[in-house]
């Protein structure tokens, strides 16, 4: 018996040494195998990928020029010098009439936007829609009378880790470039780039300038919009992130319908992540799902029967690992009808039908404050359900919220941020935008401001 075992070992060793069990290597058997290439896909999709150039005028601020004695002594004019600041990115043609989707950060604050096609022609473009929540923007080419090549949307929910993809864009401004790789991961939710953190991760080389460009699957369809890289050097290190095509589709649909804002369904509930401690308390095998911490009365969630402490584990058959995954799945559902949400409540599995409706936005009364005050240049709004959903605030929050701040404005230099809630100024309660506008019309040597940032109340005093 021992001799038989020894013979088997020697036989296996000989086979391995001879390469019988090793991977087969062979010479290509035909000219066709030598010519395997991505070129047919690239030739088909490349005309629909464009370069996006954005420019804005900024003032070079020299603090010495603020001093009238300095200006008088040295004869320096009071007008601050201006400089043209430019940014470069990529985009994708998604409608033959000249509709282009790109990243919002590519064109943010731009005074002028140009689009260059793959055939080197340039067109002026107008910004149709900006959506900071998804970091997407839609442009329209001006004064065009032709049909342009476009990319069709893939169903990004059908992508799998290991699928081959191509990234097309304009890295470092060198010109249109194609790189290839695979999908390294799906549903990346801890990236911290946008409100909807649900990204495709790829190892296709993506560099500065690729932002807004196309991530294409092997059928030549748009799988995603390249938006960010993880890098310690500023160059590609094999970790790039793309916004899934299903999110892009929602933003483009809103632009096509003529909207200035993206139309998304509103849940009307606050969700929190499940920690290991919470999972242990709930008797879960692992910390996953989205835990309901608050439900707005009268909201779609309330009407569907969702309750505090419910654990959401699925949307339309798609598993939910955390609140970011839920936000993406729910936000990409079409308006109208209902969405089936799978819930665990007290150990029981339930299915709830949540109406797919937009958040009410009545009474927003958004204004830009222009009078001389610490708030000059800030855009503020009343906290409607839509505003609360957009900025992740409780719907019963009181005060006026900052929704935007102009670059180089007084409000920006003072340090106000988007999402700050102003509740009082100079001992006067601020309940609506009209209250804040009225207060800022009066001159004051000192401004005593009560505000809330990130759930923390802050009291500051500023000079007039």
């Amino acid at each position: 018996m021992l001799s038989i075992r020894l013979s088997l070992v020697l036989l296996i060793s000989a086979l391995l040494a001879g390469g019988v069990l090793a991977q087969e290597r062979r010479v290509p058997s035909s000219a066709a195998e030598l010519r395997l290439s991505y070129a047919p896909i690239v030739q088909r999709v490349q005309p629909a990928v464009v370069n996006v150039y954005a420019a804005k005028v900024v003032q070079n601020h020299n603090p010495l020029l603020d001093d009238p004695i300095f200006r008088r002594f040295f004869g320096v004019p009071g007008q601050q010098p201006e400089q043209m600041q430019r940014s470069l990115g990529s985009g994708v043609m998604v409608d033959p009439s000249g509709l282009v989707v790109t990243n919002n950060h590519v064109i943010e604050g731009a005074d002028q936007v140009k689009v260059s096609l793959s055939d080197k022609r340039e067109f002026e473009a107008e910004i149709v829609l900006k959506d900071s929540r998804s970091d997407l923007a839609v442009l329209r080419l001006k004064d065009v009378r032709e049909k342009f090549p476009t990319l069709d949307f893939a169903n990004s929910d059908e992508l799998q880790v290991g699928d081959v993809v191509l990234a097309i864009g304009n890295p470092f401004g060198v010109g249109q470039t194609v790189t290839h790789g695979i999908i390294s991961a799906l549903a990346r939710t801890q990236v911290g780039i946008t409100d909807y953190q649900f990204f495709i991760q790829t190892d296709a080389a993506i560099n500065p300038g690729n932002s807004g460009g196309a991530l294409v699957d092997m059928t030549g369809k748009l799988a995603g919009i390249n938006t960010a890289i993880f890098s310690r050097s500023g160059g590609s290190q094999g970790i790039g992130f793309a916004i899934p095509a299903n999110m892009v589709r929602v933003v483009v649909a809103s632009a096509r319908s003529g909207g200035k804002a993206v139309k998304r369904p509103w849940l009307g509930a606050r969700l929190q992540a499940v920690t290991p401690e919470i999972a242990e308390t709930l008797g879960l095998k692992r910390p996953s799902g989205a835990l309901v911490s608050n439900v707005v009365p009268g909201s779609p969630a309330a009407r569907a029967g969702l309750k505090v402490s419910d654990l959401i584990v699925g949307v339309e058959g798609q598993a939910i690992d955390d609140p970011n995954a839920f936000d993406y799945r729910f936000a990409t559902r079409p308006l109208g009808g209902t969405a089936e949400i799978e819930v665990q409540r007290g150990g029981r599995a339930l299915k709830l039908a949540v109406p797919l409706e937009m958040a009410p936005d009545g009474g927003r009364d958004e204004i830009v404050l222009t009078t001389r005050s610490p708030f000059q240049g800030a855009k503020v709004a009343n906290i409607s359900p839509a505003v609360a959903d957009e900025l992740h605030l409780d719907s019963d929050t009181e005060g006026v919220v900052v929704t935007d701040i102009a670059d180089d404005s007084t409000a920006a230099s003072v340090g106000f941020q988007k999402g700050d809630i102003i509740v009082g100024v100079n001992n006067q309660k601020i309940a609506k935008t009209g209250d804040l506008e009225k207060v800022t019309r009066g001159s004051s040597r000192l401004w005593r401001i009560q505000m809330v940032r990130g759930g923390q109340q802050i009291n500051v005093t500023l000079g007039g």
Side-chain angles (χ1 to χ4, degrees), residues 393 402 405 411-412 414-423 450-460:
L393 307 173
V402 177
I405 297 176
V414 165
F416 284 115
Q417 299 177 11
K418 181 177 179 179
D420 286 346
I421 302 167
I422 312 302
V423 296
Q450 295 83 46
M451 56 182 281
V452 176
R453 175 181 294 173
Q456 301 294 318
Q457 183 158 333
I458 301 172
N459 298 317
V460 295

Side-chain angles (χ1 to χ4, degrees), residues 241-273:
F241 300 101
I243 300 167
N246 288 357
M247 175 60 77
V248 182
R249 192 197 309 265
V250 171
V251 176
V252 171
S254 294
R256 281 177 174 153
S257 67
K260 294 295 183 183
V262 179
K263 299 175 181 178
R264 295 188 178 96
W266 172 56
L267 178 64
R270 292 288 299 275
L271 308 177
Q272 70 178 74

Side-chain angles (χ1 to χ4, degrees), residues 128-338:
V128 177
L129 182 152
K130 296 193 300 181
D131 185 49
S132 60
R133 301 186 70 183
S134 63
D135 192 24
L136 291 171
V138 180
L139 315 175
R140 186 183 298 279
L141 305 191
K142 294 181 180 179
D143 303 322
V144 294
R145 296 176 180 83
E146 63 181 285
K147 299 297 183 181
F148 297 94
T150 63
L151 288 189
D152 294 329
F153 292 106
N155 181 357
S156 51
D157 287 345
E158 295 179 352
L159 297 173
Q160 295 184 25
V161 174
D163 284 351
V164 176
V165 286
L166 305 179
I168 308 177
N170 185 14
F172 299 111
V174 299
Q176 197 171 88
T177 302
V178 181
T179 56
H180 92 286
I182 63 168
I183 293 177
S184 308
L186 294 167
R188 286 296 194 214
T189 60
Q190 302 300 320
V191 182
I193 304 170
T194 66
D195 283 0
Y196 295 106
Q197 296 190 54
F198 198 88
F199 294 95
I200 302 167
Q201 183 181 324
T202 177
D203 67 349
I206 296 173
N207 288 288
N210 270 109
S211 290
L215 189 71
V216 179
D217 66 14
M218 289 296 98
T219 68
K221 291 184 177 180
L222 184 67
I225 293 293
N226 299 317
T227 190
I229 59 175
F230 176 84
S231 176
R232 290 187 172 93
S233 64
S236 175
Q237 293 186 337
I239 301 179
F241 300 101
I243 300 167
N246 288 357
M247 175 60 77
V248 182
R249 192 197 309 265
V250 171
V251 176
V252 171
S254 294
R256 281 177 174 153
S257 67
K260 294 295 183 183
V262 179
K263 299 175 181 178
R264 295 188 178 96
W266 172 56
L267 178 64
R270 292 288 299 275
L271 308 177
Q272 70 178 74
V274 177
T275 64
E277 292 76 17
I278 293 175
E280 185 178 356
T281 301
L282 296 177
L284 303 177
K285 293 181 179 179
R286 65 185 185 93
S288 66
L291 191 65
V292 179
S293 60
N294 180 52
V295 178
V296 178
S299 66
R303 301 203 308 275
L306 198 67
K307 299 182 183 299
V308 173
S309 297
D310 281 351
L311 182 67
I312 300 176
V313 295
V315 175
E316 292 290 341
Q318 297 278 359
I320 298 301
D321 284 334
D322 55 34
N324 289 321
F326 176 86
D327 288 346
Y328 170 81
R329 295 293 181 196
F330 194 73
T332 52
R333 301 300 302 166
L335 289 167
T338 60

